[in-house]
Amino acid sequence: MTIMRAQHEGILTPRGAAYEMRPNARNHARTLLVRTARTMHALPQRQGQQAMNEQDYEAAKWALLHAHLVQATPEQRHLYVARSNYGDNQRALAWLADQPDLDRATALMLFWSVGAGSHAQYESLDDVPDYDRDTHQFIGLVQQRFLGGFYADHGIGFDPTRWDGAGPNEHSADELQRMPAQMLQAVDGEHHIDPFDEAYDEDYDDGLPMALVEQLYELADVHIAWEEANPQA
């Protein structure tokens, strides 16, 4: 099912009420989109000046991604968590994890996708290798918020044992013995999303709408041109 069809049929609803972005979030999204539009409008000139250094590039890239996530539907956020590039999505995942309007099913998917199963072996933070401690603390934060009812219910269903991503099935009972039972169980919901359904492939890449992907490619081209013109930078 495509995003447009899902929105039209009203299937992403919090227990029957239409999903609606909070007014302050809508205003924030508009501000971000205006700023991003100005950035994109300036790109041809900046490309000619070869002025998009690493700092400019990262800031412009995040502005585009952040603006999308702020106004994204619960389904679009679910797709992003499932299909985004986990080598370059830490900032976006951290931002999503801080949002109380993130669907609890998406939060559970996020929990498993960042490696909760592997981290269940550690009894305390002292047991975690230094290079993995930030991830371990992030997993603990998502778990704490999930169990505490921090996340919203927009009617999305998710079973970590019945999807193509990381989940409990990849680990033994002994490995998962310290994990709370709720993190192993399905989130009930009327709307079950298969994020790897081929129906999404035409309109999405790495969990992002194609129009946004094209903008990100344009940014990358401008930055690459700057790097080539400034090899010593």
Side-chain angles (χ1 to χ4, degrees):
M1 179 178 292
T2 65
I3 292 293
M4 292 301 295
R5 180 181 169 194
Q7 291 173 331
H8 177 71
E9 294 182 358
I11 54 181
L12 289 177
T13 58
R15 297 306 179 202
Y19 175 78
E20 184 176 354
M21 189 183 297
R22 292 168 297 176
N24 61 334
R26 283 199 301 270
N27 293 336
H28 185 50
R30 291 193 191 101
T31 300
L32 285 169
L33 287 170
V34 168
R35 290 176 181 172
T36 302
R38 289 173 179 169
T39 299
M40 295 303 296
H41 179 72
L43 284 181
Q45 180 180 1
R46 297 185 72 177
Q47 184 175 12
Q49 297 172 348
Q50 299 176 337
M52 180 161 274
N53 59 27
E54 184 72 22
Q55 183 176 356
D56 291 338
Y57 172 58
E58 291 299 329
K61 185 170 66 171
W62 173 242
L64 283 171
L65 180 55
H66 186 207
H68 165 68
L69 293 175
V70 166
Q71 65 176 1
T73 67
E75 181 178 14
Q76 287 175 317
R77 289 179 173 184
H78 200 75
L79 287 174
Y80 178 76
V81 169
R83 300 184 60 153
S84 63
N85 178 3
Y86 272 70
D88 188 32
N89 67 356
Q90 292 86 353
R91 185 175 184 180
L93 295 183
W95 183 85
L96 284 172
D98 285 341
Q99 308 311 307
D101 63 348
L102 183 71
D103 193 280
R104 59 194 307 268
T106 307
L108 184 60
M109 176 194 290
L110 171 59
F111 172 80
W112 285 103
S113 295
V114 294
S118 299
H119 281 257
Q121 64 180 299
Y122 302 120
E123 187 171 356
S124 70
L125 185 61
D126 293 336
D127 299 326
V128 183
D130 290 345
Y131 66 84
D132 230 3
R133 289 190 174 184
D134 287 345
T135 299
H136 188 79
Q137 290 178 306
F138 179 67
I139 290 169
L141 175 65
V142 174
Q143 175 179 296
Q144 178 186 13
R145 288 175 170 174
F146 182 88
L147 296 175
F150 177 78
Y151 297 111
D153 183 354
H154 299 298
I156 297 177
F158 174 71
D159 186 343
T161 68
R162 301 183 66 183
W163 79 302
D164 291 335
N169 295 341
E170 300 175 356
H171 305 276
S172 68
D174 287 343
E175 290 177 301
L176 300 177
Q177 61 181 332
R178 296 188 183 92
M179 187 171 290
Q182 296 96 313
M183 308 308 294
L184 303 168
Q185 298 168 356
V187 170
D188 292 330
E190 297 177 358
H191 183 39
H192 290 270
I193 300 170
D194 178 2
F196 304 112
D197 191 321
E198 293 181 358
Y200 291 117
D201 292 346
E202 183 176 347
D203 299 322
Y204 286 82
D205 186 19
D206 279 347
L208 295 173
M210 286 298 186
L212 175 56
V213 172
E214 290 300 321
Q215 289 179 305
L216 292 171
Y217 281 150
E218 290 178 19
L219 283 179
D221 288 342
V222 174
H223 177 54
I224 290 170
W226 180 87
E227 286 186 320
E228 291 175 347
N230 298 272
Q232 304 302 320

